[in-house]
């Protein structure tokens, strides 16, 4: 971000504003969801969660004269249920029924900037902010009542209905108290929180607010929005990143009835039509021409060969000498993961309207405020002329095409002002142009002594940056395509403790003589960015596979080996609880076909604890793995929405099984070959487990710990471990596809 | 399934009547005694591995596995106009599978179509071909099957209309159509060709579908690989009468299920290519070498496209094609940018008989269980007979220079009805 | 050209060009949200609607072919205030994460329950195989379908009790 300001065209006002925002961003680079997006600077470091950067209570909570309560969050609903969970938090600490609150999510003109909704940070950032802000507001309301009644605040209570009640039974409604109260005050860090024993909303089941509409065809998604006069756009590109169309029939298409405009700016091209089907057929006509490679050829698909050949920057993650000892068993192994698609069911979509010099963008990006920054940069507009509003889209699981399509819609809207432009990518554009989850390689070596203590541990990981979230125009496709292109952002690792490729490479286990190195690979032969859990997926897969390999070498129980090296009592409790619910000690033993395995991690060593236990059957004849049972135990601190956490972990288990058994983006030198669900298959109903159980360990009054990504690593690891238990074959390269499993198992 | 079975079962009757006297005398076969189930550890792993490959080439799992069922545990229903046959359990389960079969009993079943207890087997088991398989190969398949997991899974009883359930009638059929003996080698054709001939004529039983059957339901020996029918689909001729193939093109097609200028395996051929994707490269090449020697290497018809004329001739078909088909098969479709075959190369569109084209749109191409392969949604519930006929007529006119199909809509109606029969 | 068809029980004339797939007619002309664009290739099921009671991919269904036919979408089953048995079962099981696939899931499942009142687990899975979910909500979707089947049977049996 160390750019000269202003760096292009002296556009006085805009450049100044942009310049200031850059300097803010540089300081706050990692505030946004822990995944490298921009975020506002921290001004109140003593406060919890996002209050650190937005300490003013009225930024979070407003109470109108009629008692209507509005709560604001800078986080966004991505299908993870955060809207409902945050509402539960606010309702609990305000001590009002959730139905009396209106919740406003990420909107650059209404809500605090809380950076990205990513990295399982929403409860930690926004949940903690709302909880404390609401407690502050309740404190202020109670004090106001105490003053009015001339009694000690300690004698007062709230009723759960939006009233403060005195010891003698008198009550006053919040609306009345709030009328004389300014909430434009900074939060204090020690406003008393409600006691878990008295919870009315938190840790109770509250059905998700968004589900009824989604079941009945309400306008639930950005894709469903219809604005008056709205036009339909499609971007015109080759099959995948680094390709272009040789000779599209522009003249013919431009003359087609129903085509309103063709927009071309450098290599960026789009068509705009009155009807969506007209836009699609025009796109197909334009694509009916040979394509050619515009970028360098793609590398080989083998992750180890490709990644280890790239120039690396060595980053020491952990260096902890130990007393050493005599190794009785030593295991060395390499683990890999291929490039994985986010695979959103709904291709990315955005709507943009440019009118009277102001741009409005409706986006399902995880970084609503970044969408504004990017569009302002791309179009050289002052940020205060750009309004970005989050509207739900299809699940994204990281950085899919959402940011790209938002910037593209904005670019088109400026060319076709006055009418809303709805742009949706086609299925093959999502597969071909979105950033993929990066491939990774790890190499581990560990030794056990004669007492089955791990006396040395080496972990090296090779990875591209997972953090390529756009914070300016250079980070989105259109920024590199326009006639005066923007330079791509400088690749950066996310430092520990969050980490990116290094995430969870530092084991939570108490081991001796630990050396962990991150070979950060800034050169990206394929376009990549964040995919749910980032590097934790392969790092946890590797560590947890290694524990089972060591246990197998020493012929000891893999759970016992883990517990013998785990000091964190919550981690031990999660493993023990999961083992008990799974009946680990009486599990069926590996018999060539059936087997059991486990995986554990505390996400980032900061978030939720999660242990996953699987019972599988591997079919020798086909190489298919059937998961008979999946049992997970989770400690995500104070539970807010029990069913919400279970839903997220269930989903993480199924998605991780899909990654680990089926998924790899194929490509040749010229293009990505995965473009539809036949060339990039994912798990379907016949392949999902027979049974998935999620058990929560509630931790009353402990901080909220993000849970949404906690299951990815442990599940894939548990699968490899169960397969090894079942078949005696250790598979270290994902995906554990039927062809590979069949080959590993052999005919007998 | 239906037409082949109609022939086959009529044949069972006709053949038996023709050869009644002899047949009844010959119908009796002795039972071969039960043996204790062999210890899987007693088989040589190398032989088991060879058996695995041979069983794959023989497509054993395709018929002997129910949808979502355990491999080789049987139970797959074969519907016929005369009732339903069920594939048997060929895992080594003692009560319901082959557990107590000796190698000799297995060899006899494969070569003579006789069950261990002496009953005749229906020729759904293609013993007309398996009879050519060498004993050491049959023993390897036996070793492979006997080292599978024993699955307790009785096949449901066949439900055939009388008197077809009377198995001794099959003796007559065999007298006419079962020609025992090895595939004679032709030394001057070389090793690969001879290996291919052995696999294609024997275990691979390609002729089971690709050779026409006579009125009595036996394969017409003189018209070997001249094209047949299978499960409601035409199995195209492999004798050169419907275009040539190179060895390389066949290797690609058989091993992956598609070839960018030859089309996609559909219908019953889909599972066959799924199996062949797993056989050793040299066996696949041997099969291709032999088939290519039969098809000849004549160049395929040049691909052409006449969208405007076709649309003028079939305006309704053109519109329906644009909405229902063009997303994959139209100009600029993403599938075509990945070297997937265009419709101009697809044998069903080029064929004189529209049957396979009709089946492809009615049934689609199901997604395979394992590999990433093209698949196609079925349109039987979405579009009516007239609409499908319009689409097919348009596609034929747009992508080929062949004459229009006649009575297309009637064919769609008839085949749709066939498909819905039990 | 005008096509007359029945959508959720009401006869409707639509003006979109006849090659337009039903999906875009439903979304852009009729203003219904349930059927979603997912792939446009008949591979994911997000666009699933019922045509004369059968589940079909509306993304590959030219509207010109639909003269006189009956289309049912998720909007035709029930409303948030008065959901159908199946919609209620999805609600009770909280069977959605992002929910983009869910309307298609419901329409496919409904077509099964309309024909088979008591499907077993294998039959449900086989029937639902055509529809994709990326969030991993499969287990809840399966539970919801089973729950709805049970509820429908008890409704029927109550209805026919002497």
């Amino acid at each position: 971000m160390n750019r000269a300001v202003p760096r292009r065209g002296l556009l006085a006002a805009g450049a100044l504003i942009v310049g200031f925002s850059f300097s803010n961003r540089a300081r706050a680079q990692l505030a946004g969801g822990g995944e490298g997006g921009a975020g506002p600077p921290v001004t109140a470091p003593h406060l919890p969660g996002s209050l650190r950067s937005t300490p003013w209570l009225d930024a979070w909570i407003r109470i109108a004269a009629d008692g209507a309560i509005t709560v604001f969050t800078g986080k966004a609903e991505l299908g993870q249920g955060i809207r409902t969970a945050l509402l539960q938090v606010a309702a609990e600490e305000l001590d009002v029924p959730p139905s009396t609150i209106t919740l406003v999510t990420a909107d650059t003109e209404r809500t605090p900037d809380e950076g990205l909704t990513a990295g399982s940070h929403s409860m930690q950032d926004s949940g903690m902010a709302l909880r404390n802000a609401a407690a502050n507001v309740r404190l202020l309301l109670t004090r106001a009542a105490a003053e009015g009644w001339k009694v000690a605040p300690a004698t007062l209570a709230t009723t759960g209905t939006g009233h403060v009640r005195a010891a003698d039974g008198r009550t006053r409604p919040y609306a009345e108290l709030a009328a004389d109260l300014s909430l434009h005050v900074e939060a204090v860090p020690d406003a008393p929180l409600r006691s878990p024993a008295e919870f009315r909303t938190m840790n109770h089941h509250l059905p998700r607010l968004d589900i009824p509409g989604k079941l009945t065809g309400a306008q639930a998604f950005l894709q469903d929005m219809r604005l008056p006069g709205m036009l339909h756009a499609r971007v015109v590109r080759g099959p995948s990143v680094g390709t272009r169309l040789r000779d599209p029939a522009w003249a013919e298409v431009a003359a087609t009835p129903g085509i309103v405009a063709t927009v071309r700016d450098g290599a960026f091209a789009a068509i705009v039509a009155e009807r969506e089907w007209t836009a699609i057929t025009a796109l197909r006509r334009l694509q009916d021409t040979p394509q050619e490679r515009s970028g360098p050829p793609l590398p080989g698909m083998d992750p180890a060969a490709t990644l280890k050949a790239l120039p690396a920057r060595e980053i020491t993650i952990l260096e902890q000498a130990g007393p050493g000892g005599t190794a009785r068993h030593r295991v060395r192994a390499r683990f890999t993961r291929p490039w994985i698609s986010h695979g959103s069911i709904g291709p990315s979509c955005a709507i943009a309207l440019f009118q009277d010099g102001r741009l409005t963008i409706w986006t399902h990006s995880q970084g609503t405020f970044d969408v504004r920054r990017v569009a302002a940069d791309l179009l050289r507009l002052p940020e205060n002329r750009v309004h970005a509003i989050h509207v739900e889209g299809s699940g994204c699981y990281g950085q899919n095409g959402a940011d790209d399509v938002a910037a593209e819609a904005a670019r088109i809207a400026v060319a076709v002002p006055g009418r809303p432009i709805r742009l949706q990518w086609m299925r093959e554009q999502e597969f071909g142009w979105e950033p993929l989850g990066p491939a990774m390689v790890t190499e581990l070596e560990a030794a056990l002594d004669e007492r089955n203590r791990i006396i040395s541990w080496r972990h090296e990981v090779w990875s591209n940056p997972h953090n390529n979230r756009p914070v300016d125009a250079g980070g989105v496709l259109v920024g590199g395509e326009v006639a005066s292109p923007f330079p791509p952002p400088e690749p950066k690792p996310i430092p520990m403790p969050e980490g990116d490729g290094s995430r969870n490479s530092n084991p939570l286990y108490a081991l001796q003589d630990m050396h962990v190195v991150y070979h950060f690979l800034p050169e990206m032969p394929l376009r990549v960015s964040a995919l749910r859990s980032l590097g934790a997926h392969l790092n946890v897969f590797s560590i947890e596979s290694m524990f089972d390999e060591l246990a197998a070498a020493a012929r000891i129980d893999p759970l016992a080996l883990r517990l013998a090296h785990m000091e964190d009592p919550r981690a031990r409790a999660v493993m023990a609880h999961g083992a008990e619910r799974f009946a680990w000690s009486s599990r069926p033993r590996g018999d060539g076909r059936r087997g059991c395995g486990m995986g554990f991690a505390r996400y980032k060593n900061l978030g939720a604890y999660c242990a996953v236990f699987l019972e599988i059957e591997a079919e020798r004849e086909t190489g298919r793995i059937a998961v008979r049972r999946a049992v997970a135990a989770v400690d995500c601190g104070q539970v807010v929405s029990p069913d919400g956490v279970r839903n997220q972990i269930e989903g993480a288990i199924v998605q991780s099984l899909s990654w680990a058994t089926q998924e790899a983006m194929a490509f040749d030198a010229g293009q990505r070959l995965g473009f539809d669900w036949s060339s990039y298959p994912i798990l379907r109903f016949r392949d999902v487990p027979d049974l998935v159980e999620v058990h929560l360990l509630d931790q009353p009054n402990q901080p909220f710990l993000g849970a949404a990504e906690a299951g990815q690593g442990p599940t894939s690891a548990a699968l490899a471990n169960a397969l090894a238990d079942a078949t005696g074959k250790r598979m270290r390269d994902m995906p554990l596809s039927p062809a590979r499993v069949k080959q590993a198992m052999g005919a007998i | 399934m239906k037409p082949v079975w109609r022939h086959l079962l009529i044949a069972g009757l006709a053949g038996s009547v023709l050869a009644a006297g002899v047949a009844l005398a010959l119908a009796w076969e002795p039972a071969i005694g039960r043996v204790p189930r062999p210890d899987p550890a007693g088989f040589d792993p190398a032989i088991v591995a060879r058996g695995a490959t041979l069983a794959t080439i023989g497509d054993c799992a395709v018929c002997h596995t129910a949808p979502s069922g355990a491999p080789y545990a049987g139970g797959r229903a074969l519907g016929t106009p005369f009732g339903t046959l069920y594939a048997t359990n060929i895992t080594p389960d003692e009560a319901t599978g082959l557990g107590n079969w000796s190698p000799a009993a297995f060899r006899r079943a494969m070569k003579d179509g006789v069950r261990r207890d002496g009953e005749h087997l229906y020729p759904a088991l293609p013993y007309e071909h398996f009879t050519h398989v060498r004993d050491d190969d049959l023993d390897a398949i036996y070793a492979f099957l006997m080292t599978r997991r024993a699955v307790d899974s009785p096949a449901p009883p066949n439900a055939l209309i009388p008197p077809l359930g009377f198995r001794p009638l099959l003796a007559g059929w065999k007298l006419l159509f079962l020609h025992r003996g090895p595939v004679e080698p032709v030394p001057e054709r070389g090793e690969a060709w001879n290996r291919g001939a052995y696999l294609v004529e024997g275990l691979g039983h390609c002729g089971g579908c690709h050779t026409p059957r006579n009125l009595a339901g036996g394969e017409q020996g003189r018209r070997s690989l001249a094209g047949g029918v299978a499960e409601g689909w035409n199995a195209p001729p492999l004798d050169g009468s419907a275009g040539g193939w190179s060895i390389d093109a066949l290797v690609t097609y058989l091993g992956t299920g598609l070839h960018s200028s030859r089309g996609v395996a559909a219908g019953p051929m889909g599972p066959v290519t799924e199996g062949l994707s797993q056989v050793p490269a040299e066996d696949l090449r041997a099969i291709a070498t032999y088939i290519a020697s039969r098809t000849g290497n004549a160049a395929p018809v040049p691909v052409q496209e006449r969208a405007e004329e076709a649309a003028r001739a079939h305006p309704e078909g053109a519109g329906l094609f644009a909405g229902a088909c063009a997303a994959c098969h139209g100009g600029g479709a993403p599938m075509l940018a990945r070297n997937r075959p265009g419709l101009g190369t697809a044998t069903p569109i080029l064929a004189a008989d529209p049957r396979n084209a009709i089946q492809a749109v009615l049934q689609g191409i199901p997604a395979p269980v394992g590999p990433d392969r093209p698949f196609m949604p079925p349109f039987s519930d979405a579009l009516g007979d007239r609409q499908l006929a319009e689409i097919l007529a348009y596609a034929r006119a747009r992508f080929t220079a062949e004459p229009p199909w006649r009575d297309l809509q009637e064919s769609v109606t008839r085949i749709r009805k066939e498909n819905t029969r039990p | 050209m005008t096509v007359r068809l029945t959508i959720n029980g009401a006869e409707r004339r639509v003006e979109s060009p006849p090659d337009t797939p039903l999906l875009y007619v439903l979304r852009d002309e009729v203003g219904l949200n349930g059927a979603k664009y997912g792939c446009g290739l008949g591979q994911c099921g997000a666009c699933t609607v019922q045509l004369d009671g059968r589940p079909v991919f509306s993304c590959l269904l030219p509207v010109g072919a639909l003269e006189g036919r009956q289309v049912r979408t998720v909007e035709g089953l029930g409303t948030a205030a008065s959901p159908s048995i199946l919609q209620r079962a999805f609600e009770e099981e909280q069977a959605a994460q992002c929910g983009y696939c869910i309307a298609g899931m419901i329409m496919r499942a409904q077509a099964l329950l309309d024909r088979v009142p008591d499907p077993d687990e294998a039959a449900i899975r086989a029937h639902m195989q055509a529809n994709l979910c990326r969030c991993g909500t499969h287990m809840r979707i399966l539970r919801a379908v089973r729950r709805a089947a049970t509820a429908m049977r008890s409704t029927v049996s109550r209805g026919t009790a002497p």
Side-chain angles (χ1 to χ4, degrees), chain A residues 14-90:
Chain A
L16 265 180
I17 287 168
V18 171
F20 284 130
S21 74
F22 276 174
S23 59
N24 284 350
R25 216 183 311 154
R27 273 187 284 130
Q29 191 62 55
L30 295 174
E35 293 197 352
V42 169
T43 58
H46 60 294
L47 291 174
S50 299
L51 289 172
R52 289 150 51 87
S53 39
T54 308
W56 305 97
L57 294 182
D58 62 349
W60 302 93
I61 296 166
R62 285 176 216 161
I63 302 176
D66 63 355
I69 301 173
T70 310
V71 170
F72 301 86
T73 172
K75 299 293 184 180
E77 177 65 54
L78 308 174
Q80 81 283 45
I82 199 66
R83 171 182 273 276
T84 306
L86 292 175
L87 179 70
Q88 284 179 274
V89 170

Side-chain angles (χ1 to χ4, degrees), chain A residues 239-240 277 281 283-285 287-289 291 428 432 593 617 619-622 624 662 666 668 671-681 684 686-687 738 742 746-748, chain B residues 40 43-46 48-49 52 56 67-72 144 147-149 278 322-323 326-327 330-335 337-340 367 369-375:
Chain A
S240 71
W277 182 240
T281 46
L283 171 67
R284 294 305 182 216
R285 179 69 193 93
Q287 287 176 323
D288 191 5
T289 175
Q291 51 116 346
E428 82 282 2
R593 182 172 63 94
E617 277 181 45
E619 201 173 71
R620 185 181 298 281
E621 286 72 26
T622 59
R624 290 182 68 206
Q662 304 202 358
D668 59 19
Q671 61 172 327
R672 295 185 194 174
L673 298 173
F675 69 97
D676 70 349
W677 299 113
S678 78
S679 50
Y680 190 92
R684 289 180 181 262
R686 270 210 283 256
D687 300 311
K742 183 176 175 184
I748 48 173
Chain B
F43 292 98
D44 177 350
V48 173
T56 305
S68 304
Y72 302 103
F144 171 74
T147 50
R148 297 309 88 200
R149 179 167 62 95
Q278 299 168 36
M335 189 177 94
R338 270 78 179 181
N339 290 324
R340 294 252 178 110
V369 174
D372 46 340
R373 290 274 181 90
F375 57 91

Side-chain angles (χ1 to χ4, degrees), chain A residues 197-262:
Chain A
E198 296 171 0
F199 281 169
R200 302 183 217 268
T201 308
M202 254 163 57
N203 203 11
H204 287 65
H205 178 56
L206 179 68
R208 277 212 356 222
L209 308 171
D210 52 330
I211 286 184
K214 290 173 177 176
L215 303 177
T216 50
Q219 184 195 300
F221 299 93
L222 171 52
Q223 283 88 345
D224 300 335
M225 282 182 65
R226 288 173 207 91
L227 298 176
M230 189 170 80
L231 297 170
H232 293 275
R234 289 295 182 274
V235 283
V236 183
R237 293 196 167 104
S240 71
V241 179
T243 65
R244 65 178 162 231
L245 299 172
R246 202 176 290 163
D247 187 20
W250 282 109
E252 179 193 323
V253 164
T256 305
I259 295 290
V260 177
T262 59

Side-chain angles (χ1 to χ4, degrees), chain A residues 329 448 546-558 561 724 730:
Chain A
H329 302 285
L448 274 183
M546 199 63 174
F547 263 81
D548 272 42
E549 294 203 45
L550 290 167
R555 299 176 184 283
I556 53 177
D557 184 84
L561 183 67
R730 169 59 57 181

Side-chain angles (χ1 to χ4, degrees), chain C residues 19 23 48-49 54 63 102 106 109 112 120 130 138 145 147-148 162:
Chain C
D19 63 334
L23 172 67
T48 305
V49 301
R54 310 289 296 195
V63 72
I102 289 297
I106 290 176
L112 175 68
D120 64 18
H138 304 71
V145 177
R147 177 191 276 263

